[in-house]
Amino acid sequence: MKATSIFGGVQVFNIIIALIRSKVVAVLLGPAGMGIMGLLLSTTGIIASATNFGLSTSAVREISQDHESGNNEKIVETVSVFRKLVWLTGLLGTVVTVLLSPFLSKLTFGNYDYTFSFILISVTLLVGQLTIGQTVLLQGMRKISWMAKAGIYSSLFGLIISLPLYYYFGMDGIVPAIILSAIAVFIIQYFFAKKIDIKSKFIPFKLAFQQGKGMLKLGFMISLSGFITVAASYIIRIFISRFGGVDEVGFYNAGFAIVNTYVGMVFSAMGTDYYPRLAQLNKDTEKSNLLISQQGEIALIILSPLICIFLIFINWIVVLLYSQKFLPVTEMIHWAMLGIFFKACTWSIGFLLLAKGDSKAFFWNELVGNIYLLLLNCIGYYWMGMEGLGISFLIGYFLYFLQIFLFCRSKYDFRFNNNFYRLFLLYLTFCIIGFLSAYFLNGLSLYVVGSIIILMLTALSFHLLNRKMDIFNLLKNKLGK
């Protein structure tokens, strides 16, 4: 909860920054501008997923285990190998993007007009990998406060750099904004990572490959699964672009930015410290089961009131974050918010496969899940438009929750504790009531009933957190200091 509160504050700040950025982009560039930006980023994201070898995840596991053992020599060796691999994978991503730039432009936009844009953006794959090299070190060594500060400064400077470019150059400012923001984030992350007193030692590339086999093996499977996830996201964007146009892609990007950024912030806040701790306990079934159950409970306690807030006030939120032009996404978001509930449960279990280092199991679970998620998305959009995407998100994550739960139960003897099941049923009931209210009520009656539900949920969550943590005394001590 300490890590969650710290990074929750960072995420709130990031949300404010993202709110300003998205509002400006929505006003200055419109749905088409958001669609172009989304297609550029998702396309380079595919290349990054295919070439980064999942080092951002596999290295955290290695560094956190070395940190727990207290073996400084081993930490230096792991970090040195990791930094060498980061350069290699970053350069690989850049070269591949440059070579494929005409093909990427034709495939993504149906013409070659964006070939030079992809060539320019290719540098962000190297810069992004170098940034990961700094972030992973902070996370693996559990430098929570430094990570938080780096996150805040990165968001702020990214905003300061990008907004003038959008204002003065319009859509022509999209590519420079992406590049300069990536460079700014790297500089900030490097500044904080340099504070950790770990000196790299020279390791030849051949030796780096030999010593980094563990990271590369796990990372390669993570990279493949990440590639599949990004590719599925890319395919659905292309599908929407072909059947609905670039504006519809902009709606899709805007809707899932709300779902994954403004509500999904809780996952980012909790996962930063949760994954390294679970990696340290992965050999102890009883302790890891307890940690996963506790993390699942906290996710439900924090997320459920947020889900209901977005369900009830989504029209106001969309107008506030974007503009009235984006109101067609509200029906999609209604259904997707219920899907977030199941995603929270899936998320808390899913880290177990990574903590165990079970790369094959992780890959196959991700592959199967992404296949039916993509199929559901295509079917949902084809038959029901934007609302169909929300329904497919809900069905997909319900199925994926059952899949990952049953798999971990059979292979790792995973069990949720009884308290989790009680909270799960209680909060699911509240969220369904909130969904039904948002779906069937409107106007004043919706806001009255919805506000009552939100107040009840918030009071319940605060009561449960206070019972677990004695929040009143914690706040009293903080104020006293």
Side-chain angles (χ1 to χ4, degrees), residues 62-64 66-68 70-83 133-134 136-143 146 190 192-202:
E62 296 289 331
I63 293 172
S64 62
D66 293 342
H67 177 57
E68 178 70 10
N71 189 337
N72 290 330
E73 186 176 337
K74 180 63 175 171
I75 293 174
V76 170
E77 185 176 292
T78 301
V79 170
S80 301
V81 170
F82 171 59
R83 284 175 172 165
Q134 318 308 315
V136 163
L137 182 58
L138 291 168
Q139 187 177 1
M141 300 296 289
R142 297 183 67 183
K143 300 296 183 181
W146 291 353
Y190 176 78
F192 282 96
K194 199 173 181 181
K195 291 184 175 184
I196 300 176
D197 190 22
I198 296 179
K199 304 296 182 183
S200 296
K201 64 181 183 180
F202 175 76

Side-chain angles (χ1 to χ4, degrees), residues 212-339:
K213 280 183 180 178
M215 276 189 283
L216 288 171
K217 183 180 178 182
L218 174 60
F220 177 70
M221 301 306 287
I222 294 171
S223 178
L224 276 181
S225 62
F227 174 79
I228 291 166
T229 301
V230 176
S233 177
Y234 175 73
I235 291 170
I236 189 60
R237 282 178 170 86
I238 297 298
F239 185 86
I240 294 170
S241 178
R242 294 288 185 269
F243 285 91
V246 175
D247 285 3
E248 290 278 292
V249 178
F251 291 142
Y252 173 84
N253 290 338
F256 277 102
I258 291 175
V259 173
N260 294 320
T261 302
Y262 301 113
V263 179
M265 67 170 184
V266 178
F267 301 131
S268 299
M270 291 189 290
T272 305
D273 190 56
Y274 170 54
Y275 173 46
R277 286 193 296 128
L278 188 60
Q280 293 170 1
L281 299 175
N282 76 85
K283 292 183 174 65
D284 191 320
T285 300
E286 186 176 344
K287 287 184 178 179
S288 61
N289 284 352
L290 177 61
L291 179 60
I292 294 169
S293 295
Q294 290 174 338
Q295 195 70 51
E297 291 171 28
I298 295 298
L300 294 179
I301 289 170
I302 295 174
L303 272 172
S304 297
L306 280 176
I307 290 171
C308 283
I309 288 171
F310 277 82
L311 282 171
I312 303 302
F313 295 103
I314 188 58
N315 285 355
W316 291 92
I317 291 170
V318 168
V319 173
L320 175 65
L321 296 177
Y322 303 110
S323 69
Q324 290 189 345
K325 294 178 183 178
F326 289 82
L327 283 175
V329 304
T330 55
E331 290 183 339
M332 178 188 81
I333 295 172
H334 275 145
W335 291 95
M337 281 299 161
L338 273 187

